[in-house]
Amino acid sequence: MTQTQTRPSSKILFYTIAADIVLVLIFALSGRSSHSENLSVGGVLETAWPFLAALAVGWLVCRTWVQPLRVWPHGVCLWMITVAGGMALRILSGATAATPFVVVATLVLAVFLLGHRLIATRVTRGTKSP
């Protein structure tokens, strides 16, 4: 069975990219806030950059632009690369990655990166005319 795929609209693509970036920034901001760390733009970006870089790699590797709202396999692939790549870059840059941080980051990024896709999919399905 052949499934006809249509390209996502530019609005959907822009929304998904922007949401992914904003949610990774919120993840970094909330982490810094919960540890009473500096909440300056520089401080937040210092925490976020490894995950933002991994997110960008994930978009390329997973070809997320093909179906940006799809949770499986695009969203899951993107989430896994964002977490694993972000942790690797974090460690390579001299920061720590204690087990509790890895667990929390994995769970929060799953809720963020997969959750907004689930919600957006429900919303867009509800707005399409029959």
Side-chain angles (χ1 to χ4, degrees):
M1 176 165 58
T2 305
Q3 180 181 2
T4 305
Q5 291 184 350
T6 59
R7 291 178 46 165
S9 73
S10 57
K11 288 179 184 179
I12 294 291
L13 196 54
F14 177 79
Y15 157 77
T16 311
I17 292 168
D20 284 348
I21 292 169
V22 167
L23 289 168
V24 169
L25 289 170
I26 290 171
F27 157 72
L29 180 69
S30 66
R32 291 184 69 84
S33 176
S34 69
H35 294 286
S36 301
E37 293 182 30
N38 182 353
L39 298 180
S40 68
V41 171
V44 173
L45 289 176
E46 180 182 346
T47 301
W49 83 261
F51 298 96
L52 290 170
L55 178 73
V57 170
W59 265 81
L60 295 173
V61 170
C62 303
R63 298 175 36 95
T64 306
W65 65 88
V66 174
Q67 291 185 313
L69 294 180
R70 191 146 181 209
V71 172
W72 178 260
H74 297 86
V76 172
C77 176
L78 180 67
W79 161 58
M80 293 171 71
I81 289 174
T82 301
V83 172
M87 291 300 168
L89 289 170
R90 185 176 163 87
I91 291 167
L92 288 172
S93 68
T96 61
T99 302
F101 174 69
V102 174
V103 170
V104 168
T106 301
L107 295 174
V108 169
L109 289 171
V111 169
F112 282 3
L113 297 177
L114 303 178
H116 88 85
R117 283 174 167 78
L118 288 169
I119 293 166
T121 298
R122 299 271 184 209
V123 169
T124 56
R125 280 187 186 154
T127 59
K128 291 182 182 176
S129 49

